[in-house]
Every structure is written in structure tokens, then in C-alpha cells.
Amino acid sequence: MEFSYLATLPAAVRHFARLRPDAAAYSFEGRLTTYAGFESNTDRVAQALLAEEVGVGDRIAYIGKNSDHYFELLLGAGKCGAVMTPVSWRLAPPEVKFIVGHCDAVVLFVGPESAALVTRLLPALPMVRKVIAMEPCAELAERPCYTAWRDAQPATPPAHHPAAHDVVLQLYTSGTTGRPKGAMLTHRNLTIGTEVSERESIPWSHWTADDISLVAMPVAHIGGSGWGLRNLLSGAKGVVAREFDPRAVLDFIEQERISKLFMVPAAMQIVLRDPRARQVDYSRLKYLLYGAAPIPAALLREGIEVFRCGFVQQYGMTETTGTIVALPPEDHTTEEVPRMRAAGKPLPGVELKVVDYEGRQLAPGEVGEVVVRAQHNMAGYWKQPEETARAIDAEGWLRTGDAGYMDAEGYLYIHDRVKDMIISGGENVYPAEVESAIYGHPQVADVAVIGVPDEKWGEAVKAIVVLKPGLEADRDGIIAWTRQRLAGFKVPKSIDFVDALPRNPSGKLLRRKLREPFWEGMNRQVN
């Protein structure tokens, strides 16, 4: 079978606009866009960006909740050679300011939920030449509205023809130094997974024309943008949810006839706790894919029993454009077996190995850092060549930062994290970033941040604080201080106070020593 239509995102859209022009590409709150309509709309977006003098390699940014129009912007940018940078609407003002400034966004597309924030930040973002309101709202009443801005241009394909290895999407992932890094993803990064699944005929990853997916995870994450593009690359329909709502998810499954769904474990737990969860008709649901955080065994058993569909565990990261390892439905069971603790096997075309500190490959069963080489690997970090070189070596092996081991049959088991990242409800939280925010509090002399087990979110953020001499502990005050500077999911859920933090002779924080009491009795240091 010929897969040339999967060389770039625009090529795939053009293919299905010709093949299935009247089929639904996206549905959003009653608005249905066919493939022919999506092709025309994205041509108009490309022309509108060109009219704003957005050139090849220029960055545009989107700040808002999920929308079908976000995917129009992403594809329109790809058609004229620009790069889309979605920014989480949940971030605090300093975080938004840094990302928009760091990516050098020249045009800003803003949802109503972020309008007030962006209005306040604009004086500090001189590189932004234009602000477009995604929907009418009072704060942006004087700004052009997206549909009028788009439709003022002709539906003429731009002269630019993107190449497979051109960057089209830039997703920011928190860094261990406390600053987010912009992972640059190419057209090929985003299409290779679809090509592999079609070429290899992987049942759970194969899509048909009548498949309908639910896009409920935030588009600022690979789980939202990547999953939201998956149906588009197969000529199927994507139902876009503005944001995750457990009751709405159940309605979507039943009313929109959802056949494929991706959720992080924390979201799945919330859905299962809804009283209606055991009353909904799931007969149309083929597969539920989950990932972005480890899943408790009890929650997985409950999910299998309630949804009664094929379950697929997915392991990956932003830097690998999402999934590189999967545990397929046939390996899932409600019984307590070792295989259920595995992340799965590498997808076809993905090379995976476990190495020691010197980069030597370890034998099955030996724990080390997981490294990967595949066409899924990012092009690098935007404006950070040194960080890129640290992440990807000269032979193309990308360090995941996760510690794990392979068994004799080639299954990967995640044991711990080489980096100190906390995964809370599918959101990545880096201790250094939180510590940096807390350090500025007038009471705080020293602070360490760790992840501790949490039944709802998998892990919760905990701060361990050393107070300045003679000061009284003020948990609520420190939490409030942090909330003003960071997104809510990064704010500590609890704070412990100690006289001193454990450090080695060179002064390095012994974070593992702080984590151990909270993880005692667990098989692995991720929950």
C-alpha cells in the first residue's frame, strides 16, 4: 500500500478531502466540519497567516481550551511553514509569559478563558504583532475574531510545500532546571505512528472510516494534540470536547457513538466514580487507550469490568511524540500477573534498550535508563542546542529519563524515574520549578519538592520546607504564595516542616531519602 499521503499533515488532509469530501473530520459543540470544509478552512488560515507576514519557521501560539478551530490553525500553520505552539490555559501568568516569549510567537490566538490574562501580559510581549480572539468576548472586543479573520481570505492552497522533516508543532515540557523546554515535532514525527499501524496492521491501532474518537485531553499536551490528529490521518471523525468533564465523557460515549478513547488514569478514575458509569451503553466502544502516568492495578481491573472494551497501555513522552511502547488488549487481564505491570513492547520501528550510567546496554532484568531510537523522536529543543545534545546522542538515541528494565521477551517495565519528575493526574511537574517558586517566600530558608502516592491523582506534590530562624510555620500562606506563581496542578497539596534537608557531602539534595518513607512497601517508586 502506498503511504505517500502520510508524508506531511497537509498531504493527509488533502488526500481525505479528495477521497471522502463529505465525511466528518471534526465535531465541536454542534459544529460539524467535513474533510472538504477542513481543507478549505486550513487553506484560508494559511493565507491569513501569510497576510500577517508569518513566514516559514515563525511561531504562532494558541492559548485556550480545546476547539476544532485549534486543529485548523495547526494545519494552516503547517501549510505555510509556520509552527504552532499551544500553551496550557491552566498556567500561571509568569509561565505563559515565559513560553510565549521564548517561542517568539508573532501571532497569538486566544480563547475566552485566557483573554483577561493575555490582555494583562501583552505589554511584556513586544514580539506579538497580532492577537486574534477565538470566540467573541468582552476583553478582546477590539481584536479580530477568528472566523472573520480566516474567512476574509481565499481558499487557495499556499505556494509553500512543507517537507516531512519540517517542524510543525512545538510543545513545552517542564525542565529540570525549572524552565520549560520547547520540544520541536515534525510532520514525520506526527505521521509515522499512523503509517506503522496501517502498514503492520496492528488491530488496536488500525482505524476505519467509521471510527469516532473523543478528543478530551488538553491540546497543549501530546495526549491532546497527538490524539486529536490521529483520526485526521485516517479519514475518521474526531469529536472535540472543550475540556475534560466526566459526565460529558459519558454523554459523548453514548450519544456520539465513540469507538476510540484516550484518557490518563486519573481521568479514568473520575469517570468510573460517576454514578452513571455503570448505566451507559459501551457497545460501540472498541478500545480505551491510557497512558501519561502509571495506572493502579485495582483501577485497571475496574475499568476493564465496566467499559468491557479492549484496553491498551501506552508509554511515551512529548519528546517521542507520544506512544513508542504499548501493552495490547491481549496482554490485559483482571488477574494479578506480572505482565500487567509492564508498559508493553516497543512499536514496530522503535529501537529500545536499557543502559547504565556509561551508556552500556544492560541484560534483561537489570535496571537502568531507558533510551529510544525511532522516527518518533523530536527534532530537538527550540533554541537549546546544549539541552538537545544532552537528550539525544550522535547516534540518535534519546534519553527518556525513566529507569526500567526489559524482560527476556522484550517487555519494558518502568521501575523508577532517573529524573525527579512528578506525574500528577497525567500532568508533568518538575520539583525544581516548584522549588524555585517556593524559595521566594519570606519564611522559607530551604525547600525540597517530591511526589507522594495519591489515590486520585497517582502522585501528589509535597513540599518539605526548612523555615528561617525564629519564624512560625504557615502552610496556607506558602501554598497561596505558590498558587500565585504556578499552575494549580503544580502547587503542593501538603507541606512538611523539618530542621534540615538531607544532602550529600557536596551539598546535593538526597531527594530519594525524602521519598522513601512515603513509598515504603510499594513495588516501584511510581504509583
Side-chain angles (χ1 to χ4, degrees), residues 110 322 377 387 462:
V110 185
N377 287 358
E387 288 288 343
K462 173 182 279 292

Side-chain angles (χ1 to χ4, degrees), residues 28-291:
F28 176 75
E29 297 182 353
R31 180 169 59 219
L32 192 69
T33 306
T34 65
Y35 273 89
F38 191 78
E39 170 79 338
S40 296
N41 286 350
T42 52
D43 281 340
R44 293 182 191 277
V45 168
Q47 294 294 347
L49 290 172
L50 291 171
E52 301 292 350
E53 299 184 348
V54 175
V56 174
D58 283 343
R59 268 62 179 167
I60 62 173
Y62 173 93
I63 308 176
K65 296 181 180 179
N66 290 4
S67 168
D68 55 337
H69 286 163
Y70 162 78
F71 293 100
E72 289 184 0
L73 284 167
L74 172 54
L75 265 293
K79 285 185 172 184
C80 68
V83 179
M84 164 57 76
T85 302
V87 184
S88 173
W89 61 274
R90 298 175 63 191
L91 296 180
E95 297 170 301
V96 173
K97 176 185 172 184
F98 173 80
I99 292 174
V100 175
H102 184 265
C103 77
D104 300 320
V106 293
V107 181
L108 211 50
F109 297 87
V110 185
E113 54 283 327
S114 301
L117 180 152
V118 168
T119 301
R120 293 196 305 271
L121 289 180
L122 274 178
L125 300 169
M127 79 294 296
V128 176
R129 300 199 298 260
K130 192 135 191 177
V131 175
I132 308 292
M134 295 306 297
E135 298 174 19
C137 63
E139 292 90 346
L140 299 176
E142 303 301 317
R143 305 286 181 175
C145 197
Y146 169 73
T147 51
W149 173 84
R150 176 196 68 192
D151 295 343
Q153 302 298 326
T156 306
H160 178 78
H161 295 288
H165 296 290
D166 287 346
V167 176
V168 65
L169 179 64
Q170 187 162 306
L171 297 176
Y172 274 79
T173 176
S174 296
T176 55
T177 59
R179 285 295 194 182
K181 293 176 289 189
M184 298 183 289
L185 305 181
T186 68
H187 290 272
R188 190 58 175 156
N189 288 153
L190 292 160
T191 63
I192 184 60
T194 301
E195 180 176 323
V196 167
S197 66
E198 295 298 322
R199 187 177 63 240
E200 302 291 334
S201 298
I202 303 171
W204 61 265
S205 189
H206 176 72
W207 289 56
T208 60
D210 66 344
D211 269 320
I212 302 174
S213 72
L214 177 61
V215 184
M217 296 295 103
V219 295
H221 295 256
I222 189 62
S225 279
W227 181 252
L229 289 171
R230 186 61 183 85
N231 65 280
L232 196 70
L233 297 172
S234 298
K237 177 182 176 181
V239 177
V240 181
R242 188 178 290 265
E243 60 183 315
F244 175 77
D245 178 329
R247 183 164 291 276
V249 167
L250 294 171
D251 289 338
F252 280 127
I253 290 173
E254 200 164 39
Q255 297 170 15
E256 298 283 353
R257 303 174 64 246
I258 301 298
S259 62
K260 294 197 173 183
L261 173 64
F262 173 81
M263 280 196 290
V264 299
M268 188 192 307
Q269 183 180 51
I270 294 171
V271 171
L272 289 171
R273 294 296 167 266
D274 190 292
R276 291 180 54 230
R278 285 157 179 77
Q279 302 168 8
V280 167
D281 178 8
Y282 299 107
S283 59
R284 168 76 179 171
L285 190 62
K286 297 179 187 176
Y287 297 107
L288 196 156
L289 298 88
Y290 64 96

Side-chain angles (χ1 to χ4, degrees), residues 298-315:
L299 175 60
L300 180 57
R301 286 196 297 271
E302 185 180 1
I304 292 173
E305 291 166 357
V306 172
F307 295 120
R308 298 185 180 278
C309 64
F311 271 63
V312 183
Q313 158 121 276
Q314 297 183 303
Y315 166 79

